[in-house]
Amino acid sequence: MVELLQNYINGAWQAARATERLEVVNPATNEVLAQVPLSSAADVDEAAKAAAIAFQSWRRVPPVERVQYLFKLKGLMDANLDDLARTITLECGKTFAEARAELQRAIENIEVACGIPMLMQGDILEDIATGIDEMMIRQPLGVAAVIAPFNFPGMIPFWFLPYAIACGNTYIVKPSEKVPLTMQKIVRLLEQTGLPPGVVNLVNGAKEAVDAILDHPAIRAISFVGSTPVARYIYSRAATNGKRVQCQGGAKNPIIVLPDADLEMTTRIAADSAFGCAGQRCLAASLMVTVGQAKAPFTEAIAEAAKTRTTGFGLDQGVQMGPVINHQSRDRIENLIQQGVEEGAKLLIDGRNPKISGYETGSFVRPTILQDVRPDSLIAQTEIFGPVLGMLHVETIEEAIALVNSGHWGNMACLFTNSGAAARKFRSEAEAGNIGINIGVAAPMAFFPFSGWKDSFFGDLHGQGKHAVEFFTQTKVVVERWFQDWSRQF
Ligand code: NAD
């Protein structure tokens, strides 16, 4: 009997009111792991009301006490890391090592949010005029919510959640309906910390639940991470409803390789960026632009790296790349590869229809390389979100930067070189929110904002670090004067 997942509302696990549900599937085997309810507006309403009530007392808990729950959660997540990582591999497909690394990133965000008693401080200036002081204090907003994607089930909610609750807000998590198991487990750990009921609520579901979150009057702030069309939709609907909103969208990340780049290191890093997590990272390299003499050696080296990458079930020893999320995604990726070929690209390495012994029913695509991709072709501009690398070639760094900036995405751009001057030029001129210099996945640490420009981000304040503190607080300015005649006694 497959488990039907529950929601966690006001400190209690309960069945969703909605009867519609989906199967949660292991993408390596197609085995059904659980059923997830597609919660209705009534479920969201219940969570939002519980969070709104909890907010009245949670905002009054001193920040130094609020973070004690996060310290406990960090300890519990450290202690349960392998179990959580296994769950991520089972429902999401990435390798066990990748899943562990993802969770480390979640934990880092908890650690940073434990500094809220300092991070949340305001400003004060004595005597803005004689005898008058002015101060800015930060206060929580109320109820906030995150709508998360499938590709980092354990990490992405933590770009927001620890900061939101440490700042005194109460919270609703809506995980991706494709990978709801990891957050179920993490919320069970959160429960063990003794966090007061209603401070964190979990609502499973898809579009109906999301729309209810976007429209609910008690929800003040929304963080979204997912594809660009949905990001755009969520940004506009939430903003129309007067909510604070930040939406991280899709990507098509270029990496530029200059002829002086270290061949071995660059190839290893670029292959991990393009094919790690089966290319399902918003910071995955999906275009490699070789400059001048870099073309021949790097094409040969990356092709070799693609061919030799071991693909299989992420819990098996020696596996370097797991499946993509499901059959629909596999079919979509294979169709896009075909489209690239029809647009004139050369299929240097074809990873379609792989035979993975023992996992014939899984959603596998092996590393694929398309060569001589035209910059104006659809394949050069479409997010594939699979282990597919397109190769392009230009003669100068100026042309390479112009190529990067001609795209409508702006999540990440990387340069591989030994030249400091070239690196400096690229860092300054490339139009992307996350820049890597000899780095293939330029993922900001928890104490820096996870940036993103152009169609990869809608909003102004990003997730993580100081941006998250800004996002989850509203500033209040107080101008204060006191009258006292010191010649008179109290
Ligand atoms: P998605 O946009 O399909 O889904 C994301 C969330 O939105 C899910 O919780 C889903 O239930 C909900 N949703 C989906 N369609 C909806 C609709 N029509 N109306 C309302 N809600 C809807 O994204 P995904 O496939 O889960 O994740 C992959 C995408 O996320 C990729 O595009 C990837 O680049 C992006 N991503 C971006 C970042 C970043 O930091 N910029 C990080 C991770 C993933």
Side-chain angles (χ1 to χ4, degrees):
M1 182 69 181
V2 175
E3 182 193 4
L4 172 61
L5 302 182
Q6 295 189 315
N7 293 336
Y8 182 73
I9 296 177
N10 205 22
W13 291 94
Q14 60 184 66
R17 295 172 188 215
T19 52
E20 220 185 321
R21 49 192 72 156
L22 279 183
E23 288 180 339
V24 183
V25 169
N26 176 344
T29 59
N30 219 25
E31 170 204 357
V32 177
L33 302 169
Q35 288 199 327
V36 61
L38 297 185
S39 299
S40 64
D43 294 304
V44 170
D45 182 54
E46 202 179 329
K49 283 183 174 145
I53 291 168
F55 174 65
Q56 296 311 326
S57 44
W58 182 244
R59 63 174 300 217
R60 291 278 160 227
V61 175
V64 284
E65 287 178 31
R66 291 198 296 251
V67 298
Q68 296 311 315
Y69 298 97
L70 293 178
F71 281 113
K72 285 187 200 150
L73 180 63
K74 174 194 154 43
L76 287 163
M77 284 181 66
D78 280 337
N80 290 276
L81 198 81
D82 283 355
D83 179 51
L84 292 171
R86 230 173 274 115
T87 304
I88 291 177
T89 299
L90 286 177
E91 67 177 348
C92 184
K94 64 182 65 174
T95 67
F96 185 61
E98 289 168 340
R100 278 183 59 97
E102 162 177 355
L103 287 163
Q104 294 291 1
R105 286 283 164 128
I107 292 168
E108 280 164 21
N109 276 284
I110 299 175
E111 290 166 356
V112 172
C114 284
I116 281 297
M118 281 203 76
L119 291 168
M120 204 182 158
Q121 289 177 10
D123 301 317
I124 180 161
L125 183 68
E126 217 179 31
D127 289 321
I128 54 151
T130 307
I132 302 179
D133 306 329
E134 183 162 342
M135 68 193 82
M136 184 276 283
I137 55 177
R138 293 187 181 283
Q139 296 191 324
L141 298 163
V143 183
V146 59
I147 299 157
F150 79 79
N151 62 329
F152 284 95
M155 175 182 74
I156 285 176
F158 282 83
W159 288 350
F160 314 103
L161 182 150
Y163 305 95
I165 64 170
C167 288
N169 303 279
T170 52
Y171 215 56
I172 299 173
V173 181
K174 204 299 282 173
S176 164
E177 64 279 19
K178 294 175 187 143
V179 291
L181 295 170
T182 305
M183 274 316 290
Q184 289 265 325
K185 286 203 165 175
I186 293 178
V187 170
R188 287 199 189 277
L189 298 179
L190 207 50
E191 215 181 353
Q192 288 178 37
T193 68
L195 192 72
V199 175
V200 171
N201 304 275
L202 177 73
V203 178
N204 289 293
K207 184 169 171 52
E208 188 178 344
V210 172
D211 286 347
I213 289 171
L214 300 179
D215 294 343
H216 202 289
I219 298 175
R220 294 282 317 280
I222 292 174
S223 305
F224 169 85
V225 182
S227 59
T228 288
V230 183
R232 210 186 282 280
Y233 163 73
I234 287 185
Y235 188 67
S236 56
R237 185 154 167 178
T240 302
N241 287 331
K243 299 183 195 312
R244 191 174 283 200
V245 52
Q246 50 183 187
C247 291
Q248 301 188 205
K252 184 84 184 175
N253 304 305
I255 56 174
I256 312 300
V257 183
L258 298 190
D260 66 349
D262 183 281
L263 182 64
E264 196 195 324
M265 181 194 74
T266 302
T267 305
R268 185 171 44 77
I269 295 174
D272 185 58
S273 177
F275 309 129
C277 295
Q280 298 174 123
R281 275 195 286 230
C282 67
L283 296 180
S286 49
L287 296 173
M288 182 190 258
V289 183
T290 52
V291 178
Q293 299 296 313
K295 183 171 179 177
F298 283 96
T299 304
E300 192 187 328
I302 195 80
E304 188 56 29
K307 262 191 292 193
T308 51
R309 206 166 182 90
T310 312
T311 306
F313 178 35
L315 292 180
D316 287 347
Q317 283 293 323
V319 167
Q320 295 170 299
M321 195 181 93
V324 298
I325 189 67
N326 54 30
H327 285 345
Q328 294 95 300
S329 192
R330 178 199 61 195
D331 296 348
R332 187 184 49 79
I333 293 164
E334 293 192 345
N335 287 337
L336 281 166
I337 295 170
Q338 185 57 31
Q339 181 172 339
V341 173
E342 283 161 20
E343 285 178 329
K346 182 176 155 206
L347 196 49
L348 191 62
I349 307 285
D350 186 358
R352 293 173 295 179
N353 300 313
K355 300 286 164 279
I356 310 288
S357 180
Y359 299 100
E360 286 74 10
T361 51
S363 302
F364 290 96
V365 182
R366 275 195 208 274
T368 297
I369 298 184
L370 287 161
Q371 203 185 359
D372 299 330
V373 169
R374 283 203 334 268
D376 61 347
S377 62
L378 253 168
I379 200 74
Q381 294 165 19
T382 307
E383 180 178 42
I384 300 176
F385 222 54
V388 182
L389 184 66
M391 306 274 301
L392 294 87
H393 183 71
V394 295
E395 289 306 329
T396 65
I397 186 168
E398 284 81 8
E399 283 176 77
I401 293 173
L403 185 63
V404 168
N405 294 350
S406 67
H408 61 98
W409 308 95
N411 217 32
M412 179 185 81
C414 300
L415 179 73
F416 287 83
T417 184
N418 264 329
S419 158
R424 187 167 186 273
K425 179 180 175 66
F426 184 77
R427 182 181 76 193
S428 173
E429 295 178 16
E431 293 174 5
N434 301 295
I435 299 289
I437 305 290
N438 296 318
I439 296 285
V441 180
M445 295 290 286
F447 31 84
F448 282 100
F450 193 107
S451 209
W453 286 14
K454 294 163 117 179
D455 280 358
S456 298
F457 182 74
F458 303 92
D460 44 15
L461 294 167
H462 298 88
Q464 300 197 145
K466 286 188 224 161
H467 273 222
V469 177
E470 288 266 337
F471 186 79
F472 288 113
T473 54
Q474 50 195 346
T475 53
K476 183 181 272 182
V477 174
V478 182
V479 184
E480 201 169 284
R481 165 160 55 196
W482 294 93
F483 299 102
Q484 176 69 43
D485 177 357
W486 293 108
S487 61
R488 287 172 48 201
Q489 293 300 312
F490 287 104

